[in-house]
Amino acid sequence: MNRLTSLLLGRLLQAGLVAWGVGTLTFLLTRALPGDMAYRIAAGRYGYENVDRDAAEAVARELSLGGSPLGDYLYWLGDLARLDLGHSLVSGESVWSEVRHQLGHSLGLALVAVLLALLIGPPLGMLAGLRRDGWLDRANLLGAVLLRSLPSFVIGLLLIMVFSVGLGWFPAAGHGGAAHVWLPALALALGLAAVSTRVARNAMAGVARSPFYAFARTKGLSSWIAFRRHGLRNAGVPVVAYLGVQLVYLIEGVVVVESLFAWPGIGHALVHALVARDVPMVQGTALAMGLLFVALNTLVDLTCLLIDPRRRQA
Amino acid sequence: MIATLSLLPSRWRALPHARRWGAGLLLALLAVAWLLPLAMPLDPARQDLMNILAAPSLAEPLGTDHLGRSQLARMAAAIRLSTGMALVSVLSAALPGVLLGVLAGWRGGWTDRALGLVADCVLALPGLLLVLLLAAIAPGQFWALYVGIALVLWVEYFRVVRATTRSLAASPQLQASRLLGFGHGYLLRRHLWPALAPAVSTLAAFGAANAILAIAALGFVSIGLEPPTAELGLMMTELLPYYREAPWIILQPIAVLFLLVLGCQLLAGREPQ
Amino acid sequence: MFVRWLRATALTVGLIAAPSLQAAAADDRLDVVAPWEINSLDPSRAGHVFLRMQVAETLVDTDHEGRLVPGLAERWDTSADGRRWRFTLRDGVRFHDGSPLTAEAAVKALRRAAARPGMLSQAPIEAIEADGPAVVLRLSRPYALLPALLAHSSTQVLAPAAFDDDGDTVAVIGTGPYAVTSLQTPQRLTVERFDDYWGEPASIEQASYLAAPRGETRALMAQSGDADIVFTLDPASRLRLARQPNLTLATTPLPRTVTVKLNAAHPALADTSTRRALSLAVNRQGIARGVMRTPEAAANQLFPPALADWHRHEPATPARDLAAARALLDDQGWTLGDDGIRTRDGRRLALTLTTFADRPELPIIATALQDQWRELGVEVSVNVGNASEIPAGHHDGSLEMGLMARNYGLVPDPLATLREDFGPEGGDWGAMNWSDPRLTALLESLTETPPGEARRDQAHAAAELLDAALPVIPVAWYQQTAAVNARLDGFSLDPLERSYRLTELSWSET
């Protein structure tokens, strides 16, 4: 079994376990959380203004809530295995069609965010790593710490104030045009870049101190050529590998950023579904987020294989 | 105890410059938060609706918030609560993360593969689900939220520690020590921990900030609000609407978090090996 | 290779960016931004959005004064015994799919509405039938509020093709001056002018609706010009937007009151004087100024000025009087403990106030009340949860106090809501374990009293009764605010929140 197949098989197993985990967790959640489920769903459906006993009773009748826990659990897992997620309890539309719509939006946002983060973070970090403890390194540390201590909604608001209200370059919020993606993506990207710039800096500093790098300089290569031939690729592996872990922040950050920018993505949908106890939607969105994470990580693994030839014959 | 105290000055001098700064920063923050209430009467809940969003003055050095509460009192209370809770969160993430990581890296084989798979799956589950589940077990308790966040964060420690342990377990020094018959405890203390400490402490330094920011994000979607408690993350959410009218008040919890992260970073800041 | 890859990334980003920069330019579409999401296509769940955007219409409409006027029904009359209502439909009305409005289509829509939770299920309806060009509703007993209920968004009339065989809504095909062009639940809706509209046609051809839940986002969208009309401004942004040269601010009082619902069966809250003490300790001026940021929001009685017949001109609730409030509790035997909290027979005066964050000001008001009642010696813990916890707690008896915003203008006549809230058994969003036969009788006789002096006297009597017995404590009144771009002419706000009145808008000439 070569490296590639074992990698893909491992990820497939992970995807299956994630699906089971989502099913079990949502089940536990809806059983453990306080509050009457029928009332919650009714509030989600008819709005907080119109939720009352009649509405809750109508919901309970329609959905025949209150079966035996174990039976419900097995029933859910069965549906999940057949990838039949049913219909949203709030909107009445099929979960798949809603998730597809939201996932498209989130995927676009995540992709642009990752690309922007890669453009901002690693180049700055590598420059800082080349001149350790120089002014750029210090400024880089301060900037990274500052970005890591700003909540993403504050970053988002600042971006709207500067680029939309101030300069008028991008629309403030909403969706529908290609221009709408930039500010939410940048809000996510800055948080991502803050960490990846430090990873890149540490990796580059390590490479710059290594004997092979010193040798490259000694044998007369200019600093730029030494960097291109020996620095980039060696420092690139940990940066890309770390991206896999970072994607967690992306998936989590999406919840806040989507709410702030009125972006119809999966994070926003998950929060709404959780609040309204819309179980099929919770499952659908959580499953989509989990599988998205697995898929992106598979991509990261493949990229690492591509950059680092040593890994191919492990 | 006395021995440790007498050791402190010499240890302090032995610390590199940056780490001394970091420790000083953290100590100063904590000292302000703990000593201030002893020096003057501070009530973080007392309101004055006729004096909201006041600018800093002699009477109120940090101004007042949207309900006319003293920001000085609230910041002091928030630092006390949030640093404690962040510590709980970091510990409850780091302990299982490090232990399982060592276990997986050391034993290898099926243990390693199984634990690795569990960690990957937890990472793929939306953290919001996990946090909510824990919050539901102890409703209205802050520690439950923070421990819930740890449920998400332990994986990071696990991954880093596992990788380091794995490469170390195969190293010649360790093989030699093992052949000489040293016990697990000795190997852990003598070989593993020195190699793990820098990475773990860097993660922990960011982990504290991550926990506080996660609380802010939860507050943003109206989870975990517990008036009138002052908590750094929730203050950021609560003060957000006044960002233009009184920017200095939302800047206060952010600045404290910045100093906290910077302090932790400097204190933990060893070069990676 | 890495460099090449970086270069490719930069190029991709640039390619996506280039065309989008132009798309941000202003266009001639009217962009409306509001906090309410479009949960569904179903009229009973999200009908309000389609009514406000003037996609769908109801049999009965309201004018600018809030009076009932003909909508899709040209006229209506009732039989001598008040049990048979006949609504004659307007002639020549077409749905957006081209099909004509028939009595059968209207009957189908109304039967659906009556079978689902919503305002219409309150009416004692026995049958809904088509009779020539008219819809006939037969009731089991006289019910004068029926036309008001037929102005509610859940009774909007959609084309038969809007529903599938199971009765689920598959498309929003209305009769309004605007037709749906695209709909992405839960956030976005675009509409265009319907040229076959029966009434006055709209001047603006295209419009869009965006649900943006955060107040800060909406305010910034108004400021940047991304939105032409922004509804429900957060108090902190309002002052800033008022100073913007490209915006005008519109304000109107709403028939909506922030109230504290009290469980009158709770041992501490059963006595009227305890409830009065709590009411006396509320700093309404402070909440109006400090939280709502409008001094006029201080609720000196339950009914706001927007409810002309019910609002009394003299202040009915006295200003904050902490000394009087303390004296009332002293008389009740609640003695002040060392920790500042009162006790009686070894039991602490500790209560839980349940509220929800769908309206962002509610948790802040709850925090303000917590401190104001602490000064009185009452320990209040605030539980910020889901809106449904209030009706759920009402029915299982676990609710102690609930802070909520009650809309008395759900249908044009507040009586419909009041009968739900303050009936003999109380109401999910009204009294809990409290009732007064005098009030029940007044509300009953009001349903048969025609508008005029007599009706106002009865309404005032009912309002006085509520303000004296305090089954709910009024705290603040709401104002609807909107920021409107200067390029629009003819904007006005509907206090009943039934319509955005898009057809009255036009682009200004300048």
Side-chain angles (χ1 to χ4, degrees), chain C residues 55-57 72 93-96 101 157 173-177 194 197-198:
Chain C
V55 170
E57 293 174 301
L72 289 177
V93 176
R94 292 202 169 270
F95 287 109
H96 298 151
L101 168 72
V157 179
I173 308 170
T175 53
F194 177 51
Y197 182 56
W198 58 268

Side-chain angles (χ1 to χ4, degrees), chain B:
Chain B
M1 184 67 197
I2 294 164
T4 340
L5 274 180
S6 63
L7 266 175
L8 262 178
S10 64
R11 284 213 172 172
W12 179 259
R13 274 193 301 275
L15 285 176
H17 216 56
R19 300 185 67 190
R20 225 184 288 176
W21 270 100
L25 206 58
L26 288 180
L27 280 175
L29 265 181
L30 292 177
V32 168
W34 287 97
L35 297 180
L36 214 56
L38 301 179
M40 54 206 281
L42 288 174
D43 183 351
R46 182 183 304 279
Q47 303 175 0
D48 179 4
L49 289 171
M50 293 302 158
N51 183 30
I52 60 164
L53 305 175
S57 63
L58 269 180
E60 284 299 343
L62 295 180
T64 60
D65 75 352
H66 58 296
L67 289 168
R69 297 176 289 196
S70 157
Q71 269 294 109
L72 188 67
R74 290 188 69 73
M75 287 306 297
I79 296 174
R80 290 197 301 272
L81 179 67
S82 295
T83 45
M85 287 296 161
L87 199 68
V88 169
S89 173
V90 165
L91 283 182
S92 51
L95 272 180
V98 169
L99 290 180
L100 291 174
V102 168
L103 186 70
W106 194 269
R107 300 284 297 270
W110 279 109
T111 325
D112 182 34
R113 241 171 285 174
L115 283 174
L117 199 62
V118 170
D120 277 354
C121 288
V122 170
L123 214 52
L125 289 174
L128 197 61
L129 279 181
L130 294 171
V131 174
L132 268 185
L133 191 65
L134 222 82
I137 294 169
Q141 301 286 323
F142 260 114
W143 64 263
L145 279 183
Y146 273 97
V147 174
I149 291 163
L151 226 51
V152 184
L153 293 179
W154 70 271
V155 180
E156 252 182 88
Y157 298 89
F158 170 80
R159 283 170 78 131
V160 170
V161 168
R162 177 172 73 155
T164 318
T165 311
R166 199 190 278 158
S167 63
L168 224 73
S171 70
Q173 312 94 294
L174 212 99
Q175 299 293 346
S177 285
R178 218 189 271 186
L179 283 176
L180 287 173
F182 286 110
H184 283 300
Y186 176 85
L187 296 177
L188 249 169
R189 217 172 44 243
R190 190 75 186 75
H191 290 283
L192 268 177
W193 184 244
L196 293 177
V200 170
S201 51
T202 309
L203 279 180
F206 270 128
N210 284 343
I212 292 172
L213 283 181
I215 294 285
L218 285 171
F220 191 77
V221 293
S222 321
I223 293 165
L225 301 176
E226 200 72 39
T229 317
E231 197 274 342
L232 285 179
L234 288 182
M235 284 174 87
M236 294 182 200
T237 327
E238 285 171 357
L239 297 173
L240 180 69
Y242 315 98
Y243 71 105
R244 282 301 283 277
E245 226 180 327
W248 62 88
I249 49 167
I250 186 167
L251 277 178
Q252 290 169 22
I254 291 175
V256 165
L257 187 61
F258 173 74
L259 293 178
L260 215 61
V261 183
L262 191 67
C264 289
Q265 271 292 90
L266 292 174
L267 185 65
R270 298 180 216 185
E271 286 299 320
Q273 318 249 310

Side-chain angles (χ1 to χ4, degrees), chain C residues 13 32 36 48 63 100 112 147 183 210 244 290 294 351-352 365 375 401 461 485 508:
Chain C
V13 169
V32 177
W36 308 284
H48 55 94
D63 65 9
R112 259 188 114 259
L183 173 58
L210 178 77
Q244 295 291 318
T294 26
L351 294 161
T352 302
I365 295 177
E375 285 181 68
M401 302 195 287
N485 199 292
S508 61

Side-chain angles (χ1 to χ4, degrees), chain A residues 34-36 39-41 43-56 58-59 62 88-93 98 101-102 105 112 115-116 118-119 122-123 126 157 160-161 164-165 168-182 224 228 232-233 236-237 239-240 258-265 268 272 275-276 303 306-307, chain C residues 1-3 5-7 9-24 29 36-42 44-46 48 115-119 121 152 168-169 184-188 210-214 216-218 220-221 223-224 226 244 256 356 358-359 385-389 391-393 395-396 405-407 410 420 428-429 497:
Chain A
D36 188 303
Y39 274 96
R40 280 273 187 156
I41 296 168
R45 263 192 196 184
Y46 303 106
Y48 61 90
E49 203 103 78
N50 303 309
V51 48
D52 54 15
R53 178 158 64 179
D54 292 346
V59 168
E62 182 191 322
S88 158
L89 304 182
V90 169
S91 75
E93 282 180 58
E98 294 219 351
H101 163 65
Q102 291 148 356
H105 278 98
V112 178
L115 291 182
L116 284 176
L118 284 178
L119 277 181
M126 287 186 189
L157 271 185
I160 301 181
M161 272 157 57
S164 178
V165 177
W169 289 359
F170 301 110
H175 53 99
H180 287 99
V181 78
W182 292 109
W224 170 241
R228 265 188 64 178
L232 251 182
R233 196 185 276 251
V237 174
V239 172
V240 177
E258 285 177 350
S259 281
L260 183 70
F261 286 92
W263 188 262
H268 184 78
H272 271 252
V275 168
T303 316
L306 209 72
I307 304 182
Chain C
M1 192 208 87
F2 208 72
V3 173
W5 183 75
L6 263 182
R7 226 180 271 149
T9 316
L11 196 68
T12 324
V13 169
L15 274 180
I16 312 176
S20 62
L21 279 175
Q22 293 144 6
R29 190 183 61 205
W36 308 284
E37 301 211 324
I38 314 166
N39 280 338
S40 160
L41 309 185
D42 194 312
S44 69
R45 301 188 198 176
H48 55 94
R116 283 167 170 72
M119 294 310 283
S121 54
H152 189 250
D168 290 329
T169 318
Q184 292 172 307
T185 52
Q187 283 180 309
R188 218 173 114 87
L210 178 77
R214 294 297 304 194
E216 297 81 29
T217 313
R218 290 196 300 278
L220 286 169
M221 288 184 81
Q223 211 178 336
S224 72
D226 286 300
Q244 295 291 318
R256 191 192 286 274
F356 50 96
D358 296 63
R359 289 193 164 263
N386 184 269
S388 66
E389 286 171 32
H395 286 290
D396 66 20
R406 185 57 168 157
N407 183 0
L410 284 174
E420 266 201 339
D428 292 37
W429 293 97
E497 296 180 279

